[in-house]
Amino acid sequence: MDKILKNLRLSKRVDGDRKVVTVKNCKIGGGFVVIAGPCSIESEDQLCETADAVKKSGADILRGGVFKPRTSPYDFQGLGLVGLKILKKAAEQTGLPVITEVTDPRNVEWASEYVDILQVGARNMSNFPLLKEMGKTKKPILIKRGMNSTISEWLNSAEYVLNEGNPDVILCERGIRTFEPLTRNTMDLSGIAVAKRLTNLPVIADPSHATGIRDLVEIMSLASVAVGADGLMIEVHRNPEEAKSDKDQTLTCGQFDTLIKKARTLRKLVEGFYEDL
Ligand code: PEP
Ligand code: MN
């Protein structure tokens, strides 16, 4: 681990410090936050209904993708600007801060006007021009770990954003590609623990993309809480079977309600186990 530390200038944890990223009245780091919402924004109706439900269950932040990085060019690519307008409306209606992924450096500046947090997706974790552009904004940046990236590479991506003068970075473990085909990715729980030891940045977990399987999302969320994750990102849809992307890993609003209650209960227990979370 010493080798990684040499490259960490701005995110390195010194004397047990912990960074807190604040959006609206939500604090990320040093507590437990839950980000929830659909993989993709499909319509105003779909997002607002899902947003109301996750808010009622106690979600802190609303998610929704509008620039979708899809494996096939023939799959739904996202609503772009129309989707951003819907996301902004849902933010106003619910009062929740909102997050979306931006995939192209040319879209960072104007898209950031619509959201509270910008997401760097797994496929773009090593897109250095994108990271630099994100570093020039005043919005917090959530960096997903690339599916083919080491922990060290992930932390260096955070340094890219920090080095441009943006101090608000959140890390997100979302599973890596291994030889195991039964799950969509392999969730690297130790990656969460390592990132929290080496850096002062908040580290959250995304068991939806890490597993790709609805039935595994709750248990891997609880496992993430147990290793000290500062929060969760969960895909939720009012009707997962109708979701235009990632339906197999998407929870119903009812399943999310159960998950968030269990996660918060476990978090309280874990806070009693480890002083230094
Ligand atoms: C997403 O959050 O919908 C997404 C595409 O995630 P990832 O970049 O982790 O695949
Ligand atoms: Mn998704």
Side-chain angles (χ1 to χ4, degrees), residues 8-22:
L8 301 187
R9 294 195 185 168
L10 299 165
S11 65
K12 188 170 154 184
R13 191 167 186 228
V14 184
D15 299 331
D17 66 322
R18 286 272 175 239
K19 187 170 174 51
V20 178
V21 175
T22 306

Side-chain angles (χ1 to χ4, degrees), residues 77-141:
Q77 301 286 307
L79 295 181
L81 175 59
V82 171
L84 284 175
K85 288 182 176 164
I86 295 173
L87 188 55
K88 196 165 182 166
K89 203 162 180 189
E92 283 159 9
Q93 260 177 40
T94 56
L96 293 175
V98 293
I99 176 169
T100 205
E101 175 175 357
V102 176
T103 51
D104 186 324
R106 293 167 298 185
N107 294 339
V108 170
E109 200 180 327
W110 67 266
S112 71
E113 302 292 323
Y114 292 85
V115 294
D116 301 289
I117 307 173
L118 294 165
Q119 176 173 319
V120 177
R123 290 158 193 78
N124 271 303
M125 191 210 83
S126 301
N127 182 340
F128 302 119
L130 179 69
L131 294 168
K132 286 183 185 174
E133 204 57 35
M134 297 259 186
K136 290 184 186 125
T137 73
K138 296 208 173 351
K139 301 284 169 161
I141 310 298

Side-chain angles (χ1 to χ4, degrees), residues 31-34 154 171-175 186-194 196-197 202-211 216-234 259 262-264 266-268 270-271 274 277:
F32 190 71
V33 293
V34 180
W154 183 32
L171 295 168
C172 179
E173 166 62 47
R174 49 78 74 205
T186 295
M187 190 161 190
D188 184 9
L189 288 171
S190 56
I192 299 169
V194 169
K196 286 203 60 167
R197 274 152 188 77
V203 185
I204 73 158
D206 169 358
S208 305
H209 293 88
T211 64
L216 292 175
V217 172
E218 180 185 289
I219 199 138
M220 296 312 289
S221 296
L222 297 177
S224 308
V225 174
V227 297
D230 298 298
L232 296 168
M233 175 180 272
I234 308 289
L259 180 157
K262 288 187 188 174
R264 292 210 194 277
L266 184 62
R267 168 73 191 194
K268 283 209 185 76
V270 170
E271 278 169 9
Y274 313 124
L277 261 183

Side-chain angles (χ1 to χ4, degrees), residues 39 63 68 209 235 246 249:
C39 179
R63 65 152 284 151
K68 296 308 300 176
H209 293 88
E235 287 188 339
D246 288 348
Q249 66 195 36

